[in-house]
C-alpha cells in the first residue's frame, strides 16, 4: 500500500478508464443524501474524487450512514468515540460498513472492496454501493430514510397474487392459442413470392 508508485503502460490505461467512470453529479447527490441522513455533524467533503475519498476513508461517515438506516437500539456498526488514525483500524471500520450494507440487502456484486475506497482505486464502485444502499432505503420505506426520495430509484418488489380455488378451475377450461387453436384463420389466399422457375 505505502510503496505504490506511479502506473505506466496498460496499468495506467486501466486506471484512467476506471477514473472516468466516476460521476461528479452523482457525488453531489450522494453528499446531499449523506448529510440529510446523518446530520450536519458529518461535515462536507472538498469537491472532486479525492475530496470524496478523504471524507469517507476512515469509515466513520459510512458507519454513521448505515446506522442511520436502522431504528434506535439496533445499530449494526460500532463507532469509536474518536476517529481511528491507524490504517488497519480505518480499513476495519470500512469492512464493518460493507458487512452491514450486505446485511441490509445490498447485493454482493454492488459492494466495493475496501481498497477501492482506501487507496482510491475505484471510487465509481464506492458510488455504486452507496446508490444501491440508497435505493434499498427508499424501497423499504420504513421511516428511516431521510432526504428526497427522487434521489434514488426504487427497486422492483414482488407482487404476489392470490387466486381462489374457483378461479384456478376456470383457468383450466380456457384453451390457450399455444394448444393449437387458430380461431378459424387459414393460409388461403396467401402467396410467398414468385413460383419456382423451371428453365429447359
Amino acid at each position: 500500500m505505502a510503496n505504490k508508485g506511479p502506473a505506466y503502460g496498460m496499468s495506467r490505461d486501466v486506471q484512467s478508464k476506471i477514473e472516468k467512470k466516476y460521476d461528479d453529479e452523482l457525488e453531489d447527490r450522494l453528499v446531499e443524501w449523506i448529510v440529510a441522513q446523518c446530520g450536519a455533524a458529518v461535515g462536507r467533503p472538498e469537491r472532486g474524487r479525492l475530496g470524496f475519498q478523504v471524507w469517507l476513508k476512515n469509515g466513520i461517515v459510512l458507519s454513521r450512514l448505515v446506522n442511520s438506516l436502522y431504528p434506535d437500539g439496533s445499530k449494526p456498526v460500532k463507532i469509536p468515540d474518536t476517529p481511528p488514525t491507524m490504517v488497519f483500524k480505518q480499513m476495519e471500520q470500512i469492512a464493518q460498513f460493507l458487512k452491514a450494507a450486505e446485511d441490509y440487502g445490498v447485493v454482493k456484486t454492488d459492494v466495493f472492496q475496501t481498497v477501492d475506497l482506501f487507496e482510491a482505486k475505484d471510487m465509481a464502485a464506492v458510488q455504486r454501493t452507496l446508490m444501491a444502499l440508497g435505493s434499498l432505503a427508499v424501497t423499504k420505506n420504513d421511516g428511516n430514510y431521510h432526504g428526497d426520495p427522487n434521489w434514488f430509484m426504487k427497486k422492483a418488489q414482488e407482487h404476489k397474487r392470490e387466486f381462489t380455488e374457483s378461479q384456478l378451475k376456470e383457468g383450466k377450461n380456457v384453451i390457450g392459442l399455444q394448444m393449437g387453436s387458430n380461431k378459424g384463420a387459414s393460409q388461403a389466399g396467401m402467396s410467398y413470392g414468385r413460383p419456382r422457375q423451371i428453365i429447359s
Side-chain angles (χ1 to χ4, degrees), residues 41 64 127 139 146 177 182 199:
R64 286 194 177 146
Q127 288 184 322
T139 304
H146 305 294
L177 289 178
N182 62 6
I199 300 171

Side-chain angles (χ1 to χ4, degrees), residues 13 20 23 38 59 62 73 79 90 93 101 106 109 140 149 155 166 178:
D13 292 343
K20 284 179 185 168
D23 187 346
C38 302
L62 292 173
I79 300 174
Q90 292 177 347
Q93 197 70 38
V106 176
T109 54
K140 286 187 177 185
K155 299 258 185 203
S166 63
Q178 67 266 38

Side-chain angles (χ1 to χ4, degrees), residues 129-151:
T129 301
L130 293 174
M131 282 298 292
L133 189 65
S135 294
L136 275 168
V138 168
T139 304
K140 286 187 177 185
N141 197 15
D142 56 6
N144 293 318
Y145 174 83
H146 305 294
D148 187 347
N150 297 323
W151 285 339

